Amino acid sequence: MDFDFSPEQREIQDQARRVLSERCSLRAVRRVLDGQAPFNQALWQQVAELGWLGVAIPESYGGLGMGGGTLCVIAEELGRALAPLPVSSSIYLAGETILQAAGEAQKRQWLPPLISGERIATLAATEGMVGIGELHGQQARVVAGRLTGSKLPVPDGMQAHWAVVTARAATLEGDVMGLFLVDLEGSGVARSALASLDPTRPQARIDFASAPAQVLGEVEEADAALRRVLDRAAIWIAFEQIGGADAALAMSAEYARIRHAFGRPIGSFQAIKHKLANMYTRNQLARSNAAFGAWALDGGAAELPLAAAAARVAASEAYEFAAKETIQTHGGFGATWEADPHLFFRRARSLQALLDGPAPWRNRLVDQLEAHTAA
């Protein structure tokens, strides 16, 4: 069982790192943070032209068909650069939901515009305190092809052109949760921006009032399809978190090398050495779990739920720890707006909050481990 990436995937990762280092510096991230644009439009177009958005989508739908593992190495570099792009919403969530749940005609209609970057999509599933994993507690409902209800927070909800929405639908067996495609620029849709800790990854509230909704695939299969989507998305997001955690560690190590106190680099002090060592250890632990997840994406479907939960928990903890310790390593200066460490803290919390946050994933990890032990 080989968890390492192939030479071709490593080459793609190196290319992604070069492109993003040139086009997405922290200064560029700050322009989005301080400006009015919700994401870097020029970078989005370049990413689409390079084929990154279609890496994991089969060629029959306009993608490159290189598998989920290849998207992992790109996700890591997007996370390392703190790229202000709606990739997670449009590709990891909405695009993957189309792949997992839609019929052939729907896949051919909806996937190509996402791959080209022409359209942006998102997954609208949470309803305030009722998360994605609590589908049967949600109130949004579809009657006769019309959706009524509210979703919040919706990642990239203000700039998305359409959304996959979870909602109740009546069947012969009673109410079930289904997946529905909704045009967010159509009638019956009202959107409002929500305040976010990380404005480079904005969120919105979306209210639906008899909005036209197209059922996605078979309603009865929606629950299982959404679970697969969340498992796969969790692994890609874990790689973004690992990329960000590694970048935070590199920033801390460089600052510890050049910053002097009492006539010597602060990196020579034991307290700073311990900080850096602890960051490195947690990052490597998260990377090993994420590597297991990358393997499961393309070759271990039976192991996917366990691998996703392990990757999600380890990467969330590693990134938050690295972001906090980076601020501490920079001292008082690190807590200022002018310093860059807070950019990593913002992104760490933003990614951590996606997909219901780490707490439900810890419970899922325990459940999966118990199931594997019993088996």
Side-chain angles (χ1 to χ4, degrees):
M1 190 180 293
D2 185 5
F3 290 161
D4 199 9
F5 293 111
S6 68
E8 182 182 21
Q9 289 171 326
R10 291 297 186 191
E11 185 176 344
I12 291 172
Q13 183 173 20
D14 290 342
Q15 180 207 43
R17 187 174 300 188
R18 288 195 300 270
V19 169
L20 291 169
S21 65
E22 294 172 2
R23 299 297 303 274
C24 190
S25 64
L26 292 181
R27 181 176 296 179
V29 175
R30 279 184 174 274
R31 282 198 291 270
V32 175
L33 178 68
D34 296 332
Q36 299 299 316
F39 66 100
N40 187 327
Q41 183 67 52
L43 181 61
W44 178 251
Q45 289 303 318
Q46 184 172 13
V47 162
E49 290 168 4
L50 290 169
W52 296 358
L53 303 182
V55 157
I57 297 176
E59 293 180 82
S60 55
Y61 307 123
L64 298 181
M66 302 180 74
T70 303
L71 183 55
C72 287
V73 299
I74 293 175
E76 181 176 346
E77 298 312 313
L78 291 171
R80 189 186 311 278
L82 300 180
L85 300 173
V87 178
S88 59
S89 303
S90 199
I91 303 302
Y92 306 165
L93 293 173
E96 189 63 24
T97 305
I98 297 295
L99 275 176
Q100 295 294 329
E104 282 297 311
Q106 290 175 320
K107 291 176 183 177
R108 296 183 186 281
Q109 176 184 358
W110 297 97
L111 287 174
L114 295 186
I115 295 169
S116 67
E118 177 186 351
R119 311 296 280 178
I120 295 170
T122 188
L123 174 66
T126 57
E127 297 182 2
M129 298 301 293
V130 181
I132 299 175
E134 303 170 271
L135 292 180
H136 298 287
Q138 297 185 10
Q139 299 302 312
R141 186 177 179 85
V142 171
V143 178
R146 298 281 178 169
L147 170 65
T148 299
S150 298
K151 297 290 180 178
L152 75 154
V154 180
D156 299 300
M158 292 301 292
Q159 58 265 35
H161 298 95
W162 54 269
V164 177
V165 184
T166 56
R168 293 176 175 274
T171 67
L172 295 176
E173 290 76 25
D175 274 7
V176 296
M177 293 301 300
L179 295 167
F180 298 87
L181 285 165
V182 180
D183 180 1
L184 297 182
E185 298 177 326
S187 61
V189 179
R191 296 188 270 184
S192 56
L194 297 176
S196 172
L197 178 64
D198 183 6
T200 67
R201 297 309 321 277
Q203 299 177 335
R205 173 190 175 113
I206 306 181
D207 296 301
F208 303 97
S210 295
Q214 176 186 152
V215 65
L216 190 63
E218 299 295 331
V219 173
E220 293 79 3
E221 299 174 4
D223 210 340
L226 184 59
R227 185 70 263 172
R228 291 194 300 272
V229 170
L230 297 181
D231 284 342
R232 293 173 68 82
I235 294 168
W236 291 319
I237 292 169
F239 273 93
E240 282 204 25
Q241 292 170 309
I242 290 166
D246 275 356
L249 171 59
M251 174 184 284
S252 295
E254 176 63 16
Y255 187 77
R257 185 183 67 82
I258 64 174
R259 178 73 169 90
H260 283 63
F262 305 104
R264 53 194 284 199
I266 64 171
S268 66
F269 296 113
Q270 190 175 36
I272 299 299
K273 288 180 180 180
H274 283 177
K275 284 184 182 295
L276 299 178
N278 287 337
M279 291 165 69
Y280 176 80
T281 301
R282 289 172 182 258
N283 288 4
Q284 292 304 109
L285 177 61
R287 183 175 295 279
S288 67
N289 281 287
F292 178 32
W295 169 82
L297 281 172
D298 295 325
E303 304 289 340
L304 181 60
L306 172 61
R312 176 69 170 152
V313 171
S316 294
E317 292 178 351
Y319 197 5
E320 180 168 14
F321 182 82
K324 288 180 176 178
E325 290 298 272
T326 298
I327 293 174
Q328 294 296 321
T329 301
H330 283 70
F333 169 70
T336 65
W337 180 267
E338 290 75 15
D340 289 329
H342 70 89
L343 300 177
F344 292 96
F345 182 76
R346 290 172 184 273
R347 184 58 60 88
R349 282 297 180 90
S350 174
L351 292 177
Q352 190 181 83
L354 277 175
L355 312 183
D356 291 347
W361 290 92
R362 293 191 188 98
N363 295 335
R364 183 168 172 78
L365 176 58
V366 171
D367 292 341
Q368 290 296 317
L369 288 172
E370 288 178 344
H372 278 67
T373 301

